[in-house]
């Protein structure tokens, strides 16, 4: 009888852990359980400067700038054409959901409506559910984003 209870308890624990892992891996709320996933940036001399070697791996990198109690969130990624692209983690349509975007292969997917956008189109196409473009400049070593340009996206957050 004890072996039965022990096995049943282990099975229950495994089911709970499995459900938790599945839920956090498919739900944008996972960021809330394990930190928000955004690196805080601090502007210097009117710009945020991010080393290229931190964002040139083809993955998506999330950042936030705090302004008057509001976090303005954005992301950078290198698309398959080698361009470093930047956009707010929001769009004109789904921004109220505050779910942002995630990278799925070569596509950036809206975590609210599921629309997908090829990474090479970030900063090119705007409006609708496209990630709202964020101006940036790049040299060999750094990506620079003017603080004023980041603050212009405060309306999304």
């Amino acid at each position: 009888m004890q072996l039965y209870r022990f096995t049943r308890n282990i099975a229950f624990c495994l089911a709970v852990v499995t459900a938790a892992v599945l839920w956090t891996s498919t739900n944008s709320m996972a960021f809330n359980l394990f930190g928000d996933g955004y690196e805080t940036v601090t502007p210097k001399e009117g710009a945020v400067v991010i080393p290229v070697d931190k964002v040139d791996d083809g993955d998506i990198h999330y950042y936030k700038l705090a302004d008057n109690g509001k976090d303005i969130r954005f992301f950078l990624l290198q698309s398959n054409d080698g361009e470093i692209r930047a956009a707010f983690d929001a769009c004109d349509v789904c921004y109220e959901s505050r779910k942002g975007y995630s990278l799925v292969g070569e596509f950036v997917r809206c975590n609210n409506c599921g629309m997908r956008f090829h990474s090479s189109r970030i900063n090119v196409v705007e409006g609708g559910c496209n990630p709202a473009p964020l101006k940036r400049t790049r040299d060999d070593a750094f990506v620079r984003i003017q603080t004023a340009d980041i603050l212009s996206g405060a309306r999304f957050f």
Side-chain angles (χ1 to χ4, degrees), residues 124-145:
V124 175
V125 181
E126 60 184 279
C129 201
N130 288 283
L134 180 56
K135 294 179 187 173
R136 80 284 182 221
T137 59
R138 174 191 174 180
D139 59 28
D140 289 340
F142 298 100
V143 176
R144 288 182 171 74
I145 305 172

Side-chain angles (χ1 to χ4, degrees), residues 39-50 63-68 70 72 74 143-151:
E39 182 178 331
T40 300
V41 292
T42 304
K44 292 180 183 165
E45 300 176 7
V48 169
V49 180
I50 299 170
Y63 297 93
K64 65 182 176 184
L65 174 69
D67 180 58
N68 293 323
K70 182 185 287 191
I72 303 170
F74 60 98
V143 176
R144 288 182 171 74
I145 305 172
Q146 296 299 312
T147 305
D149 290 331
I150 297 172
L151 295 177

